[in-house]
Amino acid sequence: MTVNDDSFTNWKNREEIAESMIPLIGKLHREQDVTVLLHSRSLVNKSVVSILKTHRFARQIAGEELSVTETMPFLKALTTLDLGPSQIDLGMLATLYQADERGLSVEEFTAEAVAGATGANKIDRREPRDVVLYGFGRIGRLVARLLIEKAGSGNGLRLRAIVVRGGGAQDIVKRASLLRRDSIHGQFQGTITVDEDNSTIIANGNAVKVIYADDPSQVDYTEYGIRDAILIDNTGKWRDRAGLSEHLRPGIEKVVLTAPGKGDVPNIVHGVNHDTIKPDEQILSCASCTTNAIVPPLKAMDDEYGVLRGHVETVHSFTNDQNLLDNYHKAERRGRSAPLNMVITETGAASAVAKALPDLKAPISGSSIRVPVPDVSIAILNLQLARETTREEVHDYLRDVSLTSPLKRQIDFTTAPDAVSSDFIGSRHASIVDAGALKVDGDNAILYLWYDNEFGYSCQVVRVVQYVSGVEYPTYPATAV
């Protein structure tokens, strides 16, 4: 048998195993509200090839691919346990098991590692929490996709309504079409139908009412059976407490803004300061996409090395706020054609760091350049550290942070030598450390951080909403068993 034959036979064997994993993963998700992960990447509703590609990501840990033959025994072990709502990482199970020297079987090790989610330790399945989207632009539609995707178990968050201004004939049909097809993020994963008579979009069985209103004061959400809902304002029209409080109408309990909040509105970056949200807080902000991209790695670097000062330069994809062709704009430079120019502009991300990371005393400055790409940006974080280090040390530290730390859902890590911006479309992390571009000289470190400023940020928004709604389930195993 030739090498080619061996490779193909091996692929077919792994393909067969991955295929057999799908119903096990689906059953755990639907019946027990368990989300199966592989190094923080969900395997729920994934194809055979996607499961195999996700396993290949493990090359970044030990330089070799994690095989489905290694993870399948752990998945089978999970199906025998009395599991409650949780997220369980097969990659972490396999990695920790390899390092464990007690001679436990896979079944024994798995039961111990996820004990916090079994038997008497199980948490109760949550009743679905109503969510309303106010606005249905780029972020609104991506958040809608995520909410619909995460409704698969029948628990957690439930998108009940979208509030928009009337747009004329076939408005709801056109909005449904924009949800179904996206030039950057591709096709919606599932089916979408429209009930024009009842002003409803039905996506993967989720009936979402489309409410037309020009102002928050025009809506009584209880008329639509909506109770104690979390409203996500992705218009950015209101950014202070007084303006956002207008959303606290009958049926709405909390308001989450998808833009930097002003005044005393808390700016939350999930993974960094979400645990500071007070239970009775009704209004909060998810800050900006750039703030979400730089704060987690900034915290990681400060925790390990100390940061004395820093500067962030963002090279940002153009946004809907800019003009396609030169035309009047109230802001400087943004009136010039976005697809044809690099445009210097301001960013509030640096000043927002203080709100999300108050323990960081280092001054952080910032500036931004908009460039002619429609999605994915890069933040260049130039830091003066409190101690000298080496490139190898920082490289290994950030890789470990992305794999095993509490920030692993926010920080990703790539060693791809030819990575470019389009490679990160659809990334669910707040930012991705580009290992090849990392520069360290004594007490100076320069990090290059890619981020999908649309989808990655939307994932951060949903994580915050899950947290405040009480449906953010714990992840197992911990980094040590």
Side-chain angles (χ1 to χ4, degrees), residues 459-471:
C459 290
Q460 283 287 88
V461 171
V462 171
R463 288 171 190 139
V464 171
V465 174
Q466 287 179 310
Y467 180 80
V468 299
S469 66
V471 297

Side-chain angles (χ1 to χ4, degrees), residues 189-478:
Q189 296 300 304
T191 62
I192 293 176
T193 58
V194 176
D195 182 349
E196 288 189 81
D197 293 337
N198 292 299
S199 190
T200 300
I201 296 173
I202 303 168
N204 289 357
N206 297 269
V208 184
K209 186 76 174 179
V210 179
I211 302 169
Y212 293 98
D214 295 324
D215 186 84
S217 64
Q218 298 177 357
V219 189
D220 180 344
Y221 295 94
T222 60
E223 293 180 358
Y224 305 96
I226 296 170
R227 300 284 189 277
D228 302 322
I230 298 173
L231 182 144
I232 304 174
D233 182 332
N234 55 88
T235 68
K237 184 176 180 180
W238 303 276
R239 293 172 59 182
D240 60 11
R241 187 172 294 275
L244 292 167
S245 294
E246 295 296 316
H247 287 303
L248 295 174
R249 304 282 300 155
I252 302 299
E253 184 182 17
K254 295 180 184 291
V255 179
V256 175
L257 171 67
T258 63
K262 295 182 177 181
D264 67 343
V265 174
N267 280 253
I268 303 300
V269 174
H270 190 276
V272 175
N273 69 336
H274 67 277
D275 56 356
T276 66
I277 301 173
K278 298 176 181 177
D280 60 350
E281 179 61 74
Q282 289 188 286
I283 295 173
L284 53 91
S285 156
C286 288
S288 70
C289 56
T290 301
T291 303
N292 275 266
I294 65 173
V295 166
L298 187 55
K299 173 177 168 50
M301 292 297 290
D302 188 51
D303 287 347
E304 180 67 18
Y305 301 101
V307 173
L308 301 181
R309 65 176 60 251
H311 176 81
V312 60
E313 186 77 34
T314 69
V315 182
H316 199 290
S317 57
F318 64 80
T319 69
N320 208 37
D321 175 62
Q322 295 172 256
N323 292 333
L324 287 175
L325 297 172
D326 289 359
N327 207 347
Y328 172 81
H329 196 293
K330 63 181 180 180
E332 294 181 356
R333 305 185 199 251
R334 292 197 186 190
R336 301 299 299 278
S337 172
L340 299 178
N341 294 289
M342 294 188 289
V343 180
I344 297 174
T345 187
E346 72 284 345
T347 176
S351 59
V353 168
K355 275 193 168 186
L357 203 55
D359 291 341
L360 179 73
K361 304 307 179 185
I364 306 293
S365 59
S367 53
S368 180
I369 302 173
R370 299 284 178 91
V371 294
V373 294
D375 186 30
V376 179
S377 304
I378 190 167
I380 305 167
L381 192 58
N382 193 331
L383 303 175
Q384 181 186 353
L385 306 176
R387 68 175 174 88
E388 292 192 353
T389 182
T390 64
R391 184 183 184 281
E392 182 181 15
E393 183 187 343
V394 176
H395 175 284
D396 291 348
Y397 170 66
L398 290 175
R399 181 192 61 192
D400 291 343
V401 165
S402 74
L403 292 169
T404 62
S405 83
L407 290 171
K408 63 185 179 182
R409 297 175 73 191
Q410 282 70 44
I411 301 175
D412 202 359
F413 190 88
T414 182
T415 56
D418 56 354
V420 293
S421 61
S422 62
D423 296 328
F424 304 103
I425 292 174
S427 169
R428 294 178 181 239
H429 289 77
S431 60
I432 305 100
V433 177
D434 191 314
L438 174 67
K439 292 177 172 56
V440 179
D441 183 9
D443 64 353
N444 177 242
I446 305 175
L447 279 58
Y448 288 75
L449 307 166
W450 298 101
Y451 58 109
D452 185 328
N453 49 277
E454 293 185 338
F455 196 72
Y457 175 67
S458 296
C459 290
Q460 283 287 88
V461 171
V462 171
R463 288 171 190 139
V464 171
V465 174
Q466 287 179 310
Y467 180 80
V468 299
S469 66
V471 297
E472 184 178 51
Y473 297 137
T475 301
Y476 298 97

